[in-house]
Amino acid sequence: MGNTFEALGTSGGDLYLSNGGTDVFFDVLTLAGCALAESVWESNLVLLFADGHRLGRGTDGFDLNSLPWTADWPAEKAFVLRVLDLAMTRHGWGLLTYEPPFALDYLRRYRAMVDGWPAPVAVETPATRPDWSVPPPPGFLERCPKHGIYQGMLGCRLCDPTLQPLPE
Ligand SMILES: [Zn+2]
């Protein structure tokens, strides 16, 4: 059981991750995204990562096209690439209680997908709250005092013992 991340129209294939791999993927994307998000759209995207794979185990893969892109999508795509680039520098990985040996590979493959994705196409099933021009509830953007990432709807994902392996 796992999750498939797709990007209809990309030249970069798709990315299948186990449930554990998906947790890691969202951990490292949240760490990088929380350091970069400024606009309302960007904050909403990073909340998708922060709250990702918390409730719907094995059902949280999504097609890139299902994100609520706006007319400003080229800048939004550039932001996704910036998050991936920062994540690939291992940004914040010292806060993880585990070694993520495969995360760089996930990030490289996903970056190739996003980079090779030409433009949004209309899809019927949105991945999340459909209107990312609306600011998220302020409490969602409060930072975990220990990890500095968004609390999100479900609390800091790095403080969640159901997601994080216990330190040795
Ligand atoms: Zn935390």
Side-chain angles (χ1 to χ4, degrees):
M1 192 72 173
N3 301 278
T4 303
F5 297 86
E6 298 168 292
L8 186 64
T10 187
S11 53
D14 59 16
L15 177 66
Y16 172 81
L17 300 179
S18 68
N19 280 345
T22 303
D23 292 337
V24 171
F25 188 54
F26 284 138
D27 283 351
V28 297
L29 289 176
T30 303
L31 283 163
C34 286
L36 294 175
E38 290 177 355
S39 71
V40 167
W41 193 94
E42 292 166 0
S43 299
N44 276 302
L45 174 74
V46 175
L47 281 170
L48 176 72
F49 304 144
D51 286 327
H53 210 229
R54 308 284 291 275
L55 300 175
R57 305 292 294 174
T59 60
D60 270 12
F62 58 85
D63 188 301
L64 204 57
N65 295 286
S66 71
L67 300 183
W69 304 97
T70 73
D72 208 20
W73 69 267
E76 292 156 1
K77 171 180 166 174
F79 175 74
V80 177
L81 291 172
R82 280 202 294 137
V83 170
L84 288 160
D85 286 339
L86 182 62
M88 285 192 283
T89 70
R90 304 171 185 259
H91 180 84
W93 291 15
L95 294 168
L96 300 173
T97 57
Y98 59 87
E99 283 294 321
F102 306 113
L104 269 182
D105 179 56
Y106 305 158
L107 292 165
R108 278 197 200 102
R109 287 161 59 198
Y110 198 62
R111 194 193 189 289
M113 286 169 57
V114 176
D115 196 35
W117 175 69
V121 295
V123 293
E124 286 180 7
T125 49
T128 182
R129 288 196 305 276
D131 190 353
W132 284 4
S133 65
V134 176
F140 289 13
L141 301 184
E142 280 177 19
R143 306 269 178 162
C144 168
K146 185 173 174 193
H147 297 110
I149 63 170
Y150 293 160
Q151 302 276 6
M153 181 172 58
L154 301 168
C156 172
R157 64 181 295 116
L158 296 182
C159 286
D160 183 345
T162 66
L163 283 187
Q164 303 299 322
L166 292 171
E168 300 278 318

